[in-house]
Amino acid sequence: MKIVWQEMKKIVSVKKLLYLAGFYALYFMLFLKPYVRQPHAFSYHQEADLVKSFIEEYGVTLTPEEFQELKSRQPEYVYDEIDQYIASNQEFQELGIRNFREFTGSQRGKELTLEEDNRLWLQLYDAIPADRVTEKVTSEVTNGIWNQYIDTYEQETAGRTVYYKDLNQTAQQERLKERGEKEVYGLMPGGVLYTNFEVLRLTGSFMTLAMLFMILPYMVSENRSRMPSLQYSFQKGRRHYGCRVAAVLLSCVLIAALTVAVYMKIAAGNRVTDFWNCSISAYSTAYISWFPWTLGEYTVFHLLIAAAFSTGLALGVFVVSHYLENYVTAIAWVLPAVVGGVFFCGIVLCGFGEITRAKWSVPLTGAGILGLGIVAALLEGCRERRRDIGMF
């Protein structure tokens, strides 16, 4: 175990971790930051707050009886001084706008140009205190979310699949029937689900890059130092390969754990943990999966597949790097793995399990790459035991 620990310190050194932290900071600013929802993010947190209040009252599913009660409490539009001002303003009237809802929505006489829209907003803020306008906007966003949830519930629970109209395969029809028995009644903010999809795919891509970044220089530096020549000169040294494989696997686990810890911090801020037990195939998400997963179950499976795929690639890189002493050559060999890892975790894995896609292709790909990496490491281990000093 002591030897494994020594090898791990070569792979996951303090210097490399500092470099990795700097790379993550850059990666975060370039890609992840837009999907980290701040408290002032308007409709995102309003939707989450509203749905959470529904869940606290009714639970994670909304029965037809509970829906009728909820619908009876739907807030009505309240006309106030802002609507009176719009109704009396000649320019608003000429554009076919009679109240604030028509001004901020699509039910108006004509589409506004950017110049017209800005001019009308300035007039409104000149005539009405800013805090009242902000309060009105907030109220309208909430009312819009209410309307969306009411309308979608009535369509989806009635058996009319709004977002998936061409599901003709027998297995798809059976899955729709299964979903219609319970999951469709679930409460789940669509904004939280789809933002989580984006954060997960970027997290998976970073996990792959981090593992390859740690593993790539490991054997190249060892080969350049001629340490393998010394090790293979005696029998016990040939068994050192197994310690290296163990160190690589443990390093991959450590990197995956650190990446998941950072993800969970973001997920908590994005309200994912508030809806951990909610179905992702609820009526409000516009997403139907092959499996009856909750948001928490989907997230765990996604991270596991990303970790398995990334570990398999890392093992492959570890095997290839046994024969390389030049960093430029090593980067050239590893570049296809980098591209493949980012493509799989960043594109293929995003929203995996959707009913319009092949059911098992993504999980099997992740498991298959891990299996190939393990097989490659084992075959290389058999070869390593037969090597001797004469081969160097």
Side-chain angles (χ1 to χ4, degrees), residues 38-49:
Q38 301 299 327
H40 62 267
F42 230 114
S43 60
Y44 184 91
H45 286 280
Q46 278 184 264
E47 181 188 15
D49 288 336

Side-chain angles (χ1 to χ4, degrees), residues 217-347:
Y218 173 50
M219 277 308 299
V220 176
S221 62
E222 289 290 285
N223 291 336
R224 290 169 68 90
S225 69
R226 301 299 178 181
M227 281 301 295
S229 299
L230 178 62
Q231 291 163 358
Y232 291 125
S233 64
F234 55 97
Q235 185 176 3
K236 188 176 180 180
R238 294 180 187 138
R239 293 198 295 268
H240 189 68
Y241 175 83
C243 296
R244 283 181 169 149
V245 173
V248 168
L249 288 173
L250 289 174
S251 298
C252 289
V253 170
L254 176 62
I255 294 167
L258 291 174
T259 306
V260 170
V262 175
Y263 160 77
M264 288 304 299
K265 177 67 176 177
I266 296 174
N270 281 354
R271 312 289 294 275
V272 173
T273 51
D274 289 347
F275 305 98
W276 204 248
N277 296 320
C278 296
S279 171
I280 63 173
S281 298
Y283 73 89
S284 56
T285 62
Y287 180 87
I288 302 176
S289 69
W290 276 112
F291 309 97
W293 282 330
T294 63
L295 181 59
E297 291 169 341
Y298 171 86
T299 299
V300 169
F301 277 115
H302 186 116
L303 291 171
L304 285 175
I305 293 172
F309 184 90
S310 301
T311 301
L313 281 184
L315 285 171
V317 168
F318 168 70
V319 171
V320 170
S321 63
H322 269 71
Y323 304 93
L324 303 174
E325 295 183 12
N326 183 285
Y327 284 109
V328 175
T329 304
I331 292 172
W333 273 92
V334 171
L335 191 58
V338 172
V339 174
V342 172
F343 176 76
F344 180 81
C345 293
I347 298 177

Side-chain angles (χ1 to χ4, degrees), residues 39 49 62 79 93 121 124 133 163 165 168 196 210 214 220 233 260 280 298 300 316-317 329 351 367 373 375 388:
D49 288 336
L62 190 65
Y79 285 82
Q93 294 301 304
W121 276 110
L124 191 61
V133 176
Y163 304 103
K165 298 180 180 179
N168 300 319
N196 192 49
M214 290 293 185
V220 176
S233 64
V260 170
I280 63 173
Y298 171 86
V300 169
V317 168
T329 304
V375 169
D388 58 35

Side-chain angles (χ1 to χ4, degrees), residues 53-102:
S53 69
F54 294 162
I55 291 174
E56 289 173 349
E57 187 170 357
Y58 299 108
V60 296
T61 57
L62 190 65
T63 66
E65 294 76 20
E66 292 169 338
F67 169 74
Q68 292 302 323
E69 179 187 344
L70 184 67
K71 185 178 180 181
S72 67
R73 294 162 42 198
Q74 184 177 5
E76 297 182 356
Y77 185 77
V78 178
Y79 285 82
D80 54 20
E81 71 274 15
I82 296 178
D83 299 284
Q84 294 172 4
Y85 170 78
I86 291 175
S88 62
N89 184 285
Q90 182 178 358
E91 188 168 359
F92 277 97
Q93 294 301 304
E94 289 175 353
L95 293 169
I97 301 171
R98 296 164 297 179
N99 54 57
F100 187 79
R101 175 167 287 182
E102 291 184 356

Side-chain angles (χ1 to χ4, degrees), residues 171-191:
Q172 290 176 332
Q173 293 297 326
E174 290 176 353
R175 172 61 186 137
L176 284 181
K177 183 178 179 181
E178 179 188 14
R179 178 219 180 205
E181 293 174 356
K182 182 179 180 181
E183 293 167 70
V184 70
Y185 299 104
L187 285 163
M188 174 75 219

